[in-house]
Structures are given as structure tokens and as C-alpha cells.
Amino acid sequence: YFRDVTEQKRRDEFQQVIIDISTELIDADARGIDDSIKEILRRIGQFERAKRSYVFQFGEAGAVMDNTHEWVGDGVEPQQPELQGIATEDFSWFMPQIRRREVVTVPDVADLPAEADRLRAALEAGNVESMVAVPLFRSDTLFGFIGFDWTRRKDPWSEDTVDLLRISGNIIASALARGRRLSDPPDPD
């Protein structure tokens, strides 16, 4: 009974986070979208007790990716400056899953298969033990992913966490697409 009550309370808090981030992004203008996304990454990261949350966006027809937004918890070094212009082909285990619209879960970085060596090296460089990544699609176009790292916990998420990240990813994808539309100059035609 107590577990059910605790889980229901967490679901209620989770729903409030979704409502809050949706409202924040709906109200954001083109210049405020980036700041709102950073705040959302902070809120979700803290809610999920993650140590780092981030958005990567793809450029050059999906051949490279850039860490465009990041939040880090206390005592965690930011990685965003070093994570620019990364070749997606180097992540042959990770990228096919993202392209298939799958949530990528890594409960324990040490257990990654050999074909995920590049991902393992990147995660270990940031002292990451577990991670989750959710693809960012708008219509049928993949343009990035949102990710969450844990540095002191293995397999720290629940199905509710994955649902929160999936919903949050959809909200962030919509906001980024809207921001692109608002910042692109209109066609002169």
C-alpha cells in the first residue's frame, strides 16, 4: 500500500513537471527558448536525480552532432564545450537506435558491448555510470536527442522516468522546431 501511495505521489509530481515545462516553452519567444530549455533540463535532471542533462542537435545532414544545451549538477564538470562537431558515424551502436525512434538506455556503462567502445569512452570521460537518451523528432525529421547521465547510480530510472523523458523530448523538439521557424528569415517570394 505504501509503495503504491509513494508511486502515485511521484506520478503526480511528474505530471506537474510536464505541465510546468509545457507552459514555460509555450510562453517562450524565439530568444527565450534556449534559456527555457536549459531550465527544463535542470528541473528534470533534479527531479530524476541525474547529474547531467543535455540536448544534442544534428547538423550536416545528420553527419555531426553538437551539444547545444546542458545542465550539470553540483560537483559535475560541464562537457558542452568539448562536445561539438562530433561525427555521428563514430557512434555505430547508439545512432541506429536513435534513428529508429528508440529510447537508448545504458543501465551500466561497464556492460556496453564492444561495438559501443566510442560511447563507453565518452561516458567514462564524464564519470557516467548510467544514461538514457531519447530521440528528438519533429514530424518525421530526426534532429537530435535529449540525454540524462547518472554518475553514482546504476540503472536509476523507472518506466515513469522513461515516459517523462519521452514526453519532455517531444516538448523540447517542438520548441526547438518553433525556435528555428521564428529565427529563420522569411522567404523573399
Side-chain angles (χ1 to χ4, degrees):
Y1 171 77
F2 291 111
R3 183 177 180 176
D4 289 342
V5 170
T6 302
E7 287 175 9
Q8 182 59 47
K9 182 179 179 200
R10 182 159 165 80
R11 273 191 224 93
D12 291 345
E13 291 171 357
F14 161 94
Q15 289 173 348
Q16 189 59 51
V17 169
I18 295 294
I19 291 167
D20 292 347
I21 66 174
S22 297
T23 302
E24 185 161 339
L25 280 173
I26 287 170
D27 292 341
D29 61 14
R31 289 175 298 196
I33 288 175
D34 287 332
D35 290 338
S36 293
I37 289 172
K38 289 176 187 173
E39 175 61 17
I40 287 164
L41 292 173
R42 181 193 67 77
R43 290 200 58 204
I44 297 170
Q46 288 178 336
F47 182 79
E48 290 300 334
R49 296 181 189 91
K51 290 299 181 180
R52 183 170 175 262
S53 54
Y54 43 87
V55 172
F56 274 83
Q57 293 187 63
F58 300 126
E60 297 180 29
V64 297
M65 60 183 167
D66 296 314
N67 185 181
T68 58
H69 302 79
E70 178 184 55
W71 167 82
V72 295
D74 293 336
V76 176
E77 288 292 319
Q79 301 291 310
Q80 185 176 6
E82 291 81 31
L83 298 175
Q84 306 299 313
I86 299 170
T88 58
E89 69 183 18
D90 291 344
F91 293 87
S92 60
W93 179 83
F94 177 82
M95 288 305 300
Q97 295 175 74
I98 291 292
R99 288 185 181 112
R100 289 190 305 262
R101 297 179 180 240
E102 295 174 9
V103 174
V104 179
T105 59
V106 179
D108 186 345
V109 169
D111 292 338
L112 280 168
E115 62 267 20
D117 282 346
R118 177 69 170 99
L119 178 62
R120 180 185 302 108
L123 294 172
E124 287 175 347
N127 297 314
V128 175
E129 290 197 17
S130 301
M131 64 87 61
V132 173
V134 176
L136 297 175
F137 275 87
R138 200 73 221 135
S139 300
D140 285 329
T141 303
L142 172 68
F143 63 88
F145 61 91
I146 180 175
F148 296 83
D149 296 344
W150 288 265
T151 58
R152 291 187 177 91
R153 294 174 61 196
K154 295 178 181 163
D155 197 15
W157 56 83
S158 66
E159 282 303 310
D160 284 344
T161 298
V162 172
D163 288 341
L164 170 65
L165 302 181
R166 206 179 264 130
I167 293 166
S168 301
N170 288 334
I171 294 166
I172 289 171
S174 179
L176 287 169
R178 183 168 55 90
R180 286 179 182 177
R181 280 192 316 274
L182 293 173
S183 64
D184 287 343
D187 286 336
D189 297 338

